[in-house]
Amino acid sequence: MNSTMAARCFVVLVFVSFLVMSVSAIPSKRRRGTIKQLNRKGPYIGLITVYSPEEEAFFRSGAFKPDAKHPFVDLSGRRYRVGKINGKKVVFVRCGVGMTNAAAVTQQMLDLFDVTGIVHFGISGNVNDSMSIGDVTIPKQFAHTGLWNWLNPNGTMDPADVAYLEVGSYNVPEGDGVNLLGQIGYSTEQLFSVSREPNTAVSLWWMEVSQQWLQLARSLEGMELEKCVNSSLCLPEKPKLVVGLKGATSNIFLDNAAYRDFLFQTFEVSSSDMESSAVVMTCLSNGFPVIVIRGLSDLAGAESGDNAIHTFGSLAALNAAKAVLEFISKLPGYNSPLQHYM
């Protein structure tokens, strides 16, 4: 196949793929009717988690009571579960791993359901030595630390970049030879928003969660969190919940001590995950409140041996779910805490 024919085939393939994705994102007539009926009962709080252990921890609480008539709606291969938590109406969905999944699901939820805001939750890696596995963090802001300008060793860095990583500085022995991976510049996001003129974006590094919800979340500090995975496996210290730190997001599962240290020293972030900034960015773009609640499952590469997510991931997910339920209990319309759950 010559280059011209290959190019034409590529264009056709992209166009067909776009049509398939667009059609699959449009609910059928029956589903549109179901969503319309559900929205008459709204508004709802949107709940978005990432993968099955987090979902399982949330539903094991028994706090979620499904809608009697329409307990769920299936859209784009995902199941949106509709119900109540202690009388508060919620829509829950598991988005899947990564920023693309997170952004797509957040936008779909905001477009189709009558939601007043998004609570995003799950587990994350711990990048801050003052925090511990099992702790819960509710950050005040996030940065997308995976938007890079990757240059040759002698490349000219973009002055607009927020920070730089010189790969060669991590050579062992230090300064030995030239590292051909060169240098990485950390670029800002472009925020398009309903509050601005169309097609005009602002450069944004830190994406802030909703200040009103963050202030409400401060009342959760001191809440009781779980310490043990089971009767024979417990953490050495009682976990804590901390509000107001910073988080990093990229499409990278961080399990490297050197890069963990770079993120903390450069950006002063305390957690690293693969979805949060995408959820926050999408909510900011659409003008909706958002908050993120993450349980710390591992040390992001600082521990020796296997990553602790395999041992303490379920505990981190449980503590994150407990914090979500407690946060919902503080929202308007709730009068009592949810300590009897979990």
Side-chain angles (χ1 to χ4, degrees):
M1 182 182 294
N2 61 39
S3 59
T4 302
M5 182 64 71
R8 289 174 179 171
C9 289
F10 175 75
V11 171
V12 171
L13 178 61
V14 170
F15 179 68
V16 171
S17 299
F18 173 76
L19 287 178
V20 170
M21 288 187 293
S22 299
V23 171
S24 66
I26 301 173
S28 66
K29 185 175 181 179
R30 179 177 60 83
R31 289 193 181 105
R32 287 200 300 271
T34 298
I35 293 170
K36 187 174 181 180
Q37 291 180 47
L38 287 169
N39 285 340
R40 291 197 190 105
K41 302 177 183 179
Y44 299 87
I45 296 295
L47 305 178
I48 300 177
T49 193
V50 179
Y51 80 137
S52 55
E54 300 160 346
E55 183 178 55
E56 291 162 8
F58 175 75
F59 285 113
R60 273 201 309 271
S61 71
F64 179 84
K65 307 301 179 185
D67 184 87
K69 186 175 182 181
H70 299 295
F72 62 84
V73 181
D74 291 338
L75 297 167
S76 305
R78 297 178 180 88
R79 178 155 291 184
Y80 288 76
R81 301 179 186 274
V82 184
K84 294 181 180 179
I85 295 177
N86 199 27
K88 188 72 174 182
K89 298 165 186 173
V90 299
V91 178
F92 170 95
V93 68
R94 170 163 54 96
C95 66
V97 175
M99 298 180 69
T100 301
N101 281 325
V105 163
T106 304
Q107 189 64 60
Q108 188 171 53
M109 181 177 279
L110 296 179
D111 284 343
L112 297 180
F113 292 93
D114 180 13
V115 295
T116 56
I118 300 291
V119 178
H120 174 52
F121 65 101
I123 64 175
S124 65
N126 174 22
V127 185
N128 184 346
D129 287 337
S130 69
M131 300 287 283
S132 303
I133 290 174
D135 289 352
V136 172
T137 178
I138 305 180
K140 63 181 179 181
Q141 54 191 14
F142 285 87
H144 177 190
T145 54
L147 201 57
W148 294 354
N149 287 322
W150 201 329
L151 298 136
N152 285 317
N154 297 319
T156 302
M157 303 301 288
D158 187 338
D161 285 347
V162 176
Y164 309 103
L165 171 61
E166 185 76 38
V167 178
S169 64
Y170 290 87
N171 285 0
V172 179
E174 186 175 351
D176 184 32
V178 176
N179 192 308
L180 297 181
L181 290 176
Q183 1 177 28
I184 294 169
Y186 288 76
S187 302
T188 57
E189 284 273 17
Q190 287 188 315
L191 174 64
F192 293 85
S193 173
V194 293
S195 63
R196 301 181 60 82
E197 289 295 319
N199 289 335
T200 58
V202 293
S203 295
L204 192 67
W205 177 251
W206 292 112
M207 299 162 235
E208 296 193 355
V209 303
S210 305
Q211 292 304 302
Q212 185 176 359
W213 279 12
L214 190 70
Q215 188 61 35
L216 184 63
R218 294 189 186 279
S219 64
L220 274 60
E221 291 185 321
M223 70 172 287
E224 190 75 21
L225 297 173
E226 298 297 325
K227 180 180 178 181
C228 298
V229 177
N230 52 49
S231 59
S232 60
L233 180 60
C234 294
L235 295 168
E237 297 180 359
K238 184 178 178 180
K240 61 185 178 296
L241 184 147
V242 180
V243 178
L245 300 176
K246 300 177 182 179
T249 301
S250 65
N251 279 319
I252 301 167
F253 179 79
L254 179 55
D255 193 20
N256 181 277
Y259 191 61
R260 173 189 191 265
D261 183 65
F262 170 83
L263 286 179
F264 180 74
Q265 296 298 331
T266 306
F267 304 117
E268 298 181 337
V269 295
S270 295
S271 58
S272 174
D273 68 71
M274 300 172 66
E275 298 82 22
S276 293
S277 72
V279 175
V280 174
M281 186 77 160
T282 305
C283 289
L284 290 177
S285 182
N286 288 274
F288 281 80
V290 61
I291 196 166
V292 177
I293 300 174
R294 290 275 183 166
L296 302 180
S297 60
D298 59 90
L299 299 181
E303 66 267 61
S304 59
D306 291 338
N307 191 291
I309 190 174
H310 306 298
T311 304
F312 293 107
S314 60
L315 179 64
L318 175 62
N319 282 340
K322 288 192 70 171
V324 169
L325 296 177
E326 191 66 22
F327 177 75
I328 292 174
S329 78
K330 304 292 185 181
L331 288 171
Y334 281 87
N335 299 313
S336 59
L338 301 174
Q339 294 176 352
H340 58 287
Y341 296 114
M342 311 178 95

